Amino acid sequence: GESVGLHLPTLSVQEGDNSIINCAYSNSASDYFIWYKQESGKGPQFIIDIRSNMDKRQGQRVTVLLNKTVKHLSLQIAATQPGDSAVYFCAEKDTDKLIFGTGTRLQVFP
Amino acid sequence: NAGVTQTPKFRILKIGQSMTLQCTQDMNHNYMYWYRQDPGMGLKLIYYSVGAGITDKGEVPNGYNVSRSTTEDFPLRLELAAPSQTSVYFCASSSLDFPPNEQFFGPGTRLTVL
């Protein structure tokens, strides 16, 4: 079946550096993707989304890149801060539902 | 707006007991979802609803039941609790008017079955 997965379960970065979180998807027909951030003890929170007719979308300190050729999605966080420490999930739209990846834990150290 | 609210926040059940996890949203969203999240894992869809009176199974529906009598409420029922149902349960909602399927999540219910 279709699946969404992440390459790295844990990513450690130094405060101030840029972070890149990767995601692979297998459904080439998917037309919409979302990145969520989940802080400890809380529900997932929307970060940024991208449609399949786009290659790149920027938000505040975050950028999502979509490479449809290799079915790869990435989330870039600029100037990573301690408050960015969380688990990040990519999600892929499947008709009325979202399919979530396993998640990547981002750890920010001073 | 309160967004998506869930009750209770924590619950401990004995094997075989039953309970209902409550979920309410005040955003007039058509779509509502129930997920479970096991430790260190991602979200698995249990059930979802595209509107009042309509429910559909997700990836892991066994052992659960849902109903959707109103737009606002989407309760999740566990009839015979089992240790395998120990998890954190998240309810979410979304609207057809939003960018497709941006889902708003509640704070979660942490359930332990002993």
Side-chain angles (χ1 to χ4, degrees):
Chain A
E2 303 295 346
S3 65
V4 177
L6 296 174
H7 296 304
L8 299 173
T10 302
L11 177 66
S12 296
V13 299
Q14 190 167 24
E15 183 178 355
D17 287 351
N18 296 333
S19 303
I20 300 176
I21 301 171
N22 297 303
C23 177
Y25 65 95
S26 56
N27 184 0
S28 58
S30 294
D31 61 359
Y32 182 71
F33 304 88
I34 301 178
W35 280 100
Y36 281 90
K37 173 186 181 183
Q38 186 177 25
E39 296 177 330
S40 181
K42 297 183 179 179
Q45 183 178 15
F46 172 89
I47 302 173
I48 192 168
D49 60 355
I50 188 167
R51 297 177 186 266
S52 60
N53 61 353
M54 304 171 68
D55 297 324
K56 179 180 180 179
R57 189 160 190 225
Q58 288 184 295
Q60 187 176 12
R61 282 200 307 116
V62 295
T63 301
V64 56
L65 300 177
L66 177 62
N67 186 330
K68 294 180 287 295
T69 302
V70 295
K71 291 183 286 187
H72 183 267
L73 194 68
S74 69
L75 177 71
Q76 299 180 359
I77 304 174
T80 310
Q81 302 171 359
D84 295 326
S85 294
V87 177
Y88 290 81
F89 295 96
C90 64
E92 170 186 15
K93 182 188 173 191
D94 176 18
T95 56
D96 299 325
K97 309 181 295 291
L98 289 177
I99 301 174
F100 285 83
T102 305
T104 292
R105 180 174 301 280
L106 178 64
Q107 297 177 330
V108 182
F109 57 92
Chain B
N1 286 350
V4 180
T5 57
Q6 293 182 238
T7 57
K9 291 185 178 180
F10 304 94
R11 184 72 185 268
I12 298 175
L13 286 180
K14 294 182 180 180
I15 295 172
Q17 287 185 320
S18 62
M19 76 165 294
T20 299
L21 283 68
Q22 302 291 345
C23 175
T24 300
Q25 53 91 9
D26 62 358
M27 297 172 282
N28 200 33
H29 285 171
N30 298 38
Y31 288 23
M32 296 188 75
Y33 307 82
W34 274 107
Y35 296 90
R36 60 176 287 173
Q37 185 177 34
D38 298 333
M41 301 294 287
L43 297 160
K44 293 186 178 180
L45 183 63
I46 305 171
Y47 272 97
Y48 68 104
S49 170
V50 302
I54 305 171
T55 61
D56 284 291
K57 295 179 180 179
E59 181 184 358
V60 290
N62 291 343
Y64 307 94
N65 281 298
V66 294
S67 60
R68 184 92 182 273
S69 57
T70 66
T71 300
E72 295 78 18
D73 301 307
F74 190 40
L76 178 71
R77 179 80 177 167
L78 283 71
E79 291 293 350
L80 291 171
S84 61
Q85 294 177 305
T86 294
S87 190
V88 179
Y89 292 83
F90 289 102
C91 179
S93 72
S94 67
S95 168
L96 293 174
D97 297 331
F98 275 87
N101 286 115
E102 176 191 346
Q103 295 184 10
F104 296 82
F105 283 81
T109 294
R110 186 176 297 274
L111 176 66
T112 302
V113 182
L114 301 175

